[in-house]
Amino acid sequence: MIYIILSICCSVTVAILLKLAKRYQISIIQAVTVNYLAALILCFLFLKPDVSLVTTSAPWPNYIALAILLPSIFLFLAASVKNLGIVKTDIAQRLSLFIPILAAYFIFKEDFNNFKIIGLAIGFAAIILTFLRKSDKKDDKGNLLYPIMVFVGFGVIDVLFKQIALYKDLPYTTSLFTVFCLSFIVSLLIVIVMVISGKIKLQLVNVACGLILGFFNFGNILFYMKAHKALAENPSTVFAAMNLGVIIVGTLIGVIAFKEKLSKLNYAGIVLAIAAVIFITLSQNAVR
């Protein structure tokens, strides 16, 4: 579980940095581009990937899909916040847990014991309650494309990383390096197109933000993949514990650091989330 805890810490830090970036008018796409450059450099220096092992037999469909999804999802995330607000976007992102959980059962053929079923049921309720917010504004009934893309995107990304972690013929560190390289290329192309079209202007401050973001993003993905390696027989444990852990830690930091107000339903959601993590953890040692 140590890898899951480390991944949660890195993930929450990334979320905090993105929130601060919005406050200080940082270009998300520029920071994300530098982030992938920093991540692939860290991967090369510390993990020593053997690029010569990457052949035509490698899982290129997964690599290419991740290379497109990883940078693109940040754009949909920003668009969703702009059109439907942070609340609905957060709910869409966390509810993406449904996709990898279903994949764990239907694709990875994982058996679900009673502890895990109870934990997941409580967890789904916890996700909804934790992110319920009171709003003085009427619900925006505009285009639902952006939150749907956030929901599907994060869910599919989880599944793709799981498949790469289980690929036996290629070290996952080499796969990770390949994904970072391709993601950097895709995000760089997006930046070039946006600069040429006049939508954004290049600024050096985004480089500094991107370097910091890349450090924690690298740690988040690395530990997440290590968790899947360590718990190869229980992918739903990693899926659920990671998402619920981010909810708990993220909510606590939101209350303490950003002075966000929580309702009684929100606190009930936190309690349920903790209970869900306990049940899912117990399912590890339960007899099927």
Side-chain angles (χ1 to χ4, degrees):
M1 294 295 286
I2 183 63
Y3 291 133
I4 295 177
I5 294 173
L6 290 173
S7 184
I8 289 171
C9 292
C10 289
S11 178
V12 172
T13 302
V14 168
I16 293 173
L17 291 173
L18 289 176
K19 186 168 186 176
L20 292 175
K22 295 175 184 177
R23 177 183 297 179
Y24 295 104
Q25 303 298 313
I26 300 298
S27 171
I28 298 297
I29 186 57
Q30 290 184 56
V32 167
T33 301
V34 178
N35 141 80
Y36 287 121
L37 177 61
L40 71 88
I41 292 175
L42 288 171
C43 186
F44 180 79
L45 293 177
F46 292 98
L47 301 181
K48 307 296 183 182
D50 189 352
V51 183
S52 64
L53 296 176
V54 181
T55 63
T56 55
S57 62
W60 284 103
N62 289 358
Y63 292 163
I64 295 173
L66 282 170
I68 295 173
L69 282 173
L70 285 173
S72 299
I73 199 66
F74 280 101
L75 298 180
F76 283 111
L77 199 64
S80 182
V81 170
K82 180 180 179 180
N83 285 273
L84 293 177
I86 295 176
V87 176
K88 286 180 170 51
T89 303
D90 281 340
I91 292 175
Q93 181 179 347
R94 296 311 167 193
L95 286 180
S96 67
L97 175 66
F98 279 96
I99 295 177
I101 289 296
L102 291 175
Y105 185 80
F106 290 106
I107 297 178
F108 303 120
K109 306 302 180 182
E110 178 184 345
D111 293 327
F112 282 19
N113 55 41
N114 290 334
F115 279 118
K116 187 162 294 184
I117 293 174
I118 294 173
L120 293 176
I122 295 175
F124 294 149
I127 292 173
I128 296 173
L129 291 178
T130 301
F131 282 97
L132 282 178
R133 296 286 192 275
K134 291 182 178 180
S135 176
D136 295 329
K137 298 180 180 180
K138 294 183 179 180
D139 290 336
D140 189 345
K141 297 182 179 180
N143 198 333
L144 294 178
L145 172 65
Y146 301 126
I148 290 175
M149 291 303 297
V150 169
F151 172 83
V152 175
F154 276 99
V156 173
I157 285 171
D158 276 351
V159 175
L160 290 173
F161 269 122
K162 169 61 180 176
Q163 290 178 324
I164 288 179
L166 294 179
Y167 188 73
K168 305 297 183 182
D169 297 330
L170 197 64
Y172 75 92
T173 52
T174 301
S175 292
L176 185 61
F177 180 78
T178 305
V179 170
F180 282 147
C181 284
L182 295 175
S183 297
F184 171 67
I185 293 173
V186 171
S187 57
L188 182 61
L189 290 174
I190 295 175
V191 169
I192 292 174
V193 171
M194 295 183 74
V195 170
I196 293 176
S197 63
K199 293 184 178 180
I200 61 174
K201 294 182 179 180
L202 296 178
Q203 295 177 310
L204 290 178
V205 66
N206 298 314
V207 175
C209 295
L211 291 175
I212 299 174
L213 187 65
F215 175 82
F216 287 102
N217 192 30
F218 170 73
N220 175 31
I221 297 177
L222 173 65
F223 293 126
Y224 186 69
M225 293 181 72
K226 279 183 173 291
H228 273 305
K229 279 284 186 180
L231 300 172
E233 300 300 320
N234 292 275
S236 66
T237 298
V238 180
F239 290 143
M242 177 64 187
N243 280 273
L244 296 176
V246 168
I247 288 175
I248 297 171
V249 178
T251 301
L252 291 176
I253 290 179
V255 172
I256 297 173
F258 295 98
K259 309 300 180 182
E260 295 181 1
K261 296 181 180 180
L262 295 178
S263 66
K264 292 181 179 179
L265 289 178
N266 298 153
Y267 284 112
I270 295 174
V271 173
L272 287 179
I274 295 173
V277 172
I278 293 175
F279 271 106
I280 293 170
T281 302
L282 289 174
S283 73
Q284 286 286 99
N285 301 318
V287 179
R288 288 188 176 92

